[in-house]
Amino acid sequence: MIETPYLLFLGDAPDQLAAKVAQGIKDWRPENAVGQFRMAGCKADVGLSDMTLAEAKSAGAKTLVIGVANRGGVISPAWKEVLIAALEMGFDLASGLHNLLRDEGDLVAASQTHGGTLHDVRVPSVGYPIANGIKRSGKRVLAVGTDCSVGKMYTALALDEAMRKRGLKSTFRATGQTGILITGHGVPLDAVIADFMAGSVEYLTPDNDDDHWDIIEGQGSLFHVSFSGVTMALIHGGQPDALILSHEPSRAHMRGLPGYTLPSLETLRDTALPLARISNPACQVVGIAVNTQHMTEDEALSYLAEVEARMGLPAVDPYRQGADRLVDALAAV
Amino acid sequence: MIETPYLLFLGDAPDQLAAKVAQGIKDWRPENAVGQFRMAGCKADVGLSDMTLAEAKSAGAKTLVIGVANRGGVISPAWKEVLIAALEMGFDLASGLHNLLRDEGDLVAASQTHGGTLHDVRVPSVGYPIANGIKRSGKRVLAVGTDCSVGKMYTALALDEAMRKRGLKSTFRATGQTGILITGHGVPLDAVIADFMAGSVEYLTPDNDDDHWDIIEGQGSLFHVSFSGVTMALIHGGQPDALILSHEPSRAHMRGLPGYTLPSLETLRDTALPLARISNPACQVVGIAVNTQHMTEDEALSYLAEVEARMGLPAVDPYRQGADRLVDALAAV
């Protein structure tokens, strides 16, 4: 659990894309951030007030979150001065970088001296159990993709937002480092040891109110040979009551795997649903989320209409259209 | 890579079952063991010559293998004297216990002083890559089960033995600690970090001669919600050309999961084969291995005949009948 609110550290980000973690926090949990901290030469701006460490501290910030990825995921010497000053002022630090805060001797020393916590969200901080498969109360929805990086996290966050706006009970359950930094908690599933993957998902989505939805962030794809085991553990550990099929129609091949074509939405449905019903026999496929970012508005609407007619399920782009129709579909479960 | 031959340490095993790792080595790789070492009160005997450390050393033993599991997987104080003496005499140590040799200060100190290696085969010793899905040369076979612990390792070892006897090229590829200790190498798949599972299986089963078979030890089951992700990674990382369906007909429910029934062999076939064809479109289901240990000979033969007729595939119990008919089926691929 990372203490909020945050000050978002954008460092010397070379461009806006490098600050996508900070942008995600700003977009989805603006209440979690009091401002942004930019160094000289920073080319990113997520639209929050620029603050010094002292100003952020006065505004109540508890944690300085590294909201920027630089080349190689390293913690650059140029950042160190700020990070150490933050620890000296009583901030915690949180990072999703490959290079860990805890491996930097000067940060460890400063955190010990000043009592701050170093959160490396890529590394599990919990000893997860082996999954027991016992049926849990409450409801769960999981997005499964024809490929990796087709918009599953975005879909989950948009669903969560739409449900909250309607006053429905929902919790976004992060399974990757960006999601964990956005919400302050979660399971870094790709870093969990094989035997405990499904158990970590059970741990993440415990018993809940009968009318509460856990919206589980998807990972990988059953059809992506590098990461399909992670997806499988999400399906079986998550016991989803509902699946949403996620797709990005412009891909020529599976991400990073030339020679591997994407499955059709029908094949995804017919593969994922029987597997999901092993852990939850009542599971249903309720809708389709399409990432149409590479289409014009007309192309997108026409594509979505075709998919909806063909599959007999609501098909939306949550970015263009919001997730309301997917919430309607969940409400009908 | 653990240096062979071994001296098998049976310690103070409370019964024969506790020495099943040593028994596995004796049964499948007798050439890897010069003898057994038993302490006072040992109730197990794998049928090798009892040797002192000095006798084993003279006989060429390189590694003392802990071939016994005691309660809790701990390395008992009673064992320490022997293990330290072995290190002092120049042995390496190898263990598949949960408690690691490397976490025992006195063993680490002795290994540093005398130059011996401590092999904890539950822990990966390699930084595995992320799977790339690129088609590899050579052939691969994988047993997939209706449940965990239905005889997949035994089937793989029996296949390997039958192929070698015929002069065919094959390698048993261990993916669990018992298999690793039997052969001296392998990947402890259940301890690999999620993102690298499939990559570790690719690493384990590299390019090979066109007429060579890697016989990959299976793990878990697609239908076992605790471990299905591990099985999935084996299917996609292993790129199997052939699947063997493994089954144990007496199970009332999935191992450790009351309330979860086993799938039929038909359901296993129809689930596993399409998933395997994602990474290897030529994959075929070639046979069925049934563990009939809880049946009489007549019951077993009658059951196998029924399964064979129903599924249209050779169905054998490799323990009762050997794996020759499965080798015939592989040879036809």
Side-chain angles (χ1 to χ4, degrees), chain A residues 130-133 189-195 197-198 222-223 225-230 232 236 239 257 260 271 275 278-279, chain B residues 130-133 189-195 197-198 222-223 225-230 232 236 257 260 271 275 278-279:
Chain A
I130 286 177
N132 62 30
L189 187 57
D190 61 9
V192 172
I193 286 176
D195 252 2
M197 291 186 299
L222 289 170
F223 295 83
V225 298
S226 310
F227 308 117
S228 52
V230 181
M232 190 79 211
H236 280 168
Q239 298 182 358
L257 300 176
Y260 284 83
T271 303
L275 291 171
I278 292 170
S279 60
Chain B
I130 287 178
N132 62 30
L189 187 57
D190 61 9
V192 173
I193 286 176
D195 253 2
M197 292 186 299
L222 289 170
F223 295 83
V225 298
S226 310
F227 308 118
S228 53
V230 181
M232 190 80 212
H236 281 168
L257 300 176
Y260 284 82
T271 303
L275 291 171
I278 293 169
S279 60

Side-chain angles (χ1 to χ4, degrees), chain B residues 103-314:
Chain B
D103 290 339
E104 304 289 320
D106 44 4
L107 298 182
V108 171
S111 76
Q112 285 166 347
T113 304
H114 302 284
T117 302
L118 305 179
H119 296 281
D120 287 302
V121 303
R122 275 186 190 269
V123 183
S125 55
V126 172
Y128 301 113
I130 287 178
N132 62 30
I134 295 171
K135 173 73 179 161
R136 306 194 291 291
S137 56
K139 295 206 178 296
R140 286 159 199 88
V141 56
L142 173 70
V144 292
T146 52
D147 193 1
C148 299
S149 307
V150 293
K152 296 185 299 293
M153 184 181 78
Y154 191 99
T155 297
L157 285 161
L159 258 179
D160 180 49
E161 185 173 80
M163 292 187 82
R164 287 168 181 231
K165 278 193 182 150
R166 291 199 199 177
L168 300 171
K169 295 183 198 169
S170 80
T171 308
F172 170 75
R173 298 296 190 182
T175 61
Q177 68 264 14
T178 303
I180 295 170
L181 287 172
I182 288 174
T183 59
H185 51 87
V187 166
L189 187 57
D190 61 9
V192 173
I193 286 176
D195 253 2
F196 305 100
M197 292 186 299
S200 76
V201 181
E202 292 188 348
Y203 169 93
L204 180 68
T205 60
D207 282 317
N208 215 317
D209 297 342
D210 288 342
D211 58 347
H212 177 277
W213 280 91
D214 268 340
I215 302 172
I216 308 173
E217 182 190 353
Q219 294 293 339
S221 164
L222 289 170
F223 295 83
H224 195 292
V225 298
S226 310
F227 308 118
S228 53
V230 181
T231 311
M232 190 80 212
L234 271 167
I235 291 174
H236 281 168
Q239 299 183 356
D241 300 274
L243 295 177
I244 290 172
L245 309 181
S246 293
H247 186 51
E248 203 278 79
S250 75
R251 296 276 166 88
H253 59 73
M254 298 292 286
R255 185 175 167 89
L257 300 176
Y260 284 82
T261 55
L262 275 70
S264 67
L265 284 162
E266 288 87 343
T267 300
L268 173 61
R269 174 195 64 202
D270 296 344
T271 303
L273 187 58
L275 291 171
R277 286 183 170 167
I278 293 169
S279 60
N280 187 344
C283 186
Q284 303 172 36
V285 176
V286 299
I288 300 165
V290 183
N291 177 345
T292 63
Q293 66 177 320
H294 298 300
M295 295 178 167
T296 66
E297 182 83 5
D298 281 352
E299 285 168 352
L301 295 179
S302 148
Y303 182 84
L304 290 166
E306 184 274 316
V307 168
E308 180 151 339
R310 198 176 88 222
M311 300 290 293
L313 290 167

Side-chain angles (χ1 to χ4, degrees), chain A residues 49-88:
Chain A
S49 307
D50 287 298
M51 288 188 178
T52 64
L53 294 174
E55 288 166 347
K57 193 78 192 164
S58 302
K62 301 273 195 270
T63 303
L64 182 70
V65 170
I66 299 182
V68 56
N70 53 11
R71 272 182 254 298
V74 297
I75 298 159
S76 76
W79 295 1
K80 279 287 183 67
E81 200 178 330
V82 180
L83 303 184
I84 289 171
L87 287 166
E88 287 170 354

Side-chain angles (χ1 to χ4, degrees), chain B residues 11-171:
Chain B
D12 46 4
D15 53 36
Q16 188 67 21
L17 193 63
K20 74 172 185 170
V21 168
Q23 191 67 53
I25 295 167
K26 159 65 165 45
D27 289 346
W28 296 107
R29 291 289 184 278
E31 70 275 20
N32 280 358
V34 301
Q36 63 186 16
F37 184 103
R38 300 193 295 162
M39 293 167 54
C42 180
K43 300 286 201 309
D45 181 350
V46 301
L48 291 170
S49 306
D50 287 299
M51 289 188 178
T52 64
L53 294 174
E55 288 165 347
K57 194 77 191 164
S58 303
K62 301 274 196 269
T63 304
L64 182 70
V65 170
I66 298 182
V68 56
N70 54 11
R71 270 183 255 299
V74 297
I75 298 159
S76 76
W79 295 1
K80 280 288 182 66
E81 200 178 331
V82 181
L83 303 183
I84 289 170
L87 287 166
E88 287 169 353
M89 294 179 61
F91 283 89
D92 292 341
L93 300 184
S95 162
L97 298 176
H98 274 291
N99 283 34
L100 303 182
L101 300 172
R102 72 187 64 172
D103 290 339
E104 304 289 320
D106 44 4
L107 298 182
V108 171
S111 76
Q112 285 166 347
T113 304
H114 302 284
T117 302
L118 305 179
H119 296 281
D120 287 302
V121 303
R122 275 186 190 269
V123 183
S125 55
V126 172
Y128 301 113
I130 287 178
N132 62 30
I134 295 171
K135 173 73 179 161
R136 306 194 291 291
S137 56
K139 295 206 178 296
R140 286 159 199 88
V141 56
L142 173 70
V144 292
T146 52
D147 193 1
C148 299
S149 307
V150 293
K152 296 185 299 293
M153 184 181 78
Y154 191 99
T155 297
L157 285 161
L159 258 179
D160 180 49
E161 185 173 80
M163 292 187 82
R164 287 168 181 231
K165 278 193 182 150
R166 291 199 199 177
L168 300 171
K169 295 183 198 169
S170 80
T171 308

